[in-house]
Amino acid sequence: MTNQAGTTRTRPDVADFRATMGCFPTGVTLLTCGRDDDLTVMTLNSLTSVSLDPLLVLVSVKADGRMRPRVRAHGGYAVNVLSSDQGDLSREFCLPDRPEGAPAMSLLGAVPGVTGNAVVPSAAAWLECELHREFEAGDHALLVGRVLAVSGGGAGRQPLVFHRGGYTDLPGTSGAGT
């Protein structure tokens, strides 16, 4: 039931929640853990800057998914901020049967970063992190990473943006489309 302002009075269902959260545009990233034959990759839009002292970021992954134990085992991860022309990579790595290992490394054009995790040089930017803390959050786990290395912040590439169920461009830019 909703009131005149359209506010849901009862507990919202998943569809209501997703539609509401779709109003908030997010960047699109690839979370990578490992490299070469040991690489796992997933599309992710839950990246948050947490602290400047120390430098910390937060990502959210399924609590029972394949990425969480990999990050634990490796002790860290890399976050690759996709550029506006990389929607195909976003779509490829959100699939349950997404590429892993050497085929993923090749598809991404990835190289080992300073932490040993794969980074994508063609991305708009990337951050390499060691696992700092982990928190349970419903059906997800929040992985806080201490940032050890960054690249691409000044490159001027436009980020891939997701809004209302599709890709969009930032005002005054072009490239992502839908």
Side-chain angles (χ1 to χ4, degrees):
M1 171 173 262
T2 59
N3 65 17
Q4 288 182 333
T7 303
T8 302
R9 289 184 175 177
T10 60
R11 183 176 178 186
D13 64 15
V14 171
D16 290 335
F17 180 74
R18 288 186 78 159
T20 300
M21 292 307 296
C23 294
F24 182 68
T26 62
V28 183
T29 70
L30 291 180
L31 185 66
T32 57
C33 186
R35 69 175 197 227
D36 302 321
D37 290 335
D38 192 35
L39 176 62
T40 301
V41 184
M42 68 176 279
T43 301
L44 179 81
N45 69 347
S46 60
L47 170 65
T48 303
S49 171
V50 174
S51 171
L52 296 176
D53 187 18
L55 299 175
L56 299 174
V57 296
L58 176 146
V59 297
S60 175
V61 299
K62 285 178 103 177
D64 62 354
R66 65 181 112 164
M67 186 59 85
R68 184 182 188 188
R70 304 273 301 146
V71 169
R72 280 181 176 162
H74 281 267
Y77 54 84
V79 183
N80 300 271
V81 178
L82 294 180
S83 64
S84 61
D85 61 349
Q86 293 178 312
D88 57 335
L89 293 178
S90 168
R91 287 184 287 276
E92 182 77 24
F93 288 98
C94 72
L95 301 172
D97 62 342
R98 59 191 176 259
E100 292 190 336
M105 196 88 175
S106 177
L107 182 62
L108 294 170
V111 298
V114 297
T115 64
N117 292 302
V119 295
V120 182
S122 62
W126 69 83
L127 304 96
E128 296 182 67
C129 306
E130 69 179 356
L131 185 59
H132 176 73
R133 268 206 150 132
E134 199 176 326
F135 300 94
E136 296 291 326
D139 62 357
H140 276 63
L142 307 178
L143 308 177
V144 178
R146 182 183 293 262
V147 178
L148 302 178
V150 298
S151 183
R157 300 202 60 200
Q158 293 299 317
L160 183 60
V161 178
F162 192 76
H163 182 239
R164 295 189 188 259
Y167 301 117
T168 189
D169 293 325
L170 294 174
T173 66
S174 61
T178 51

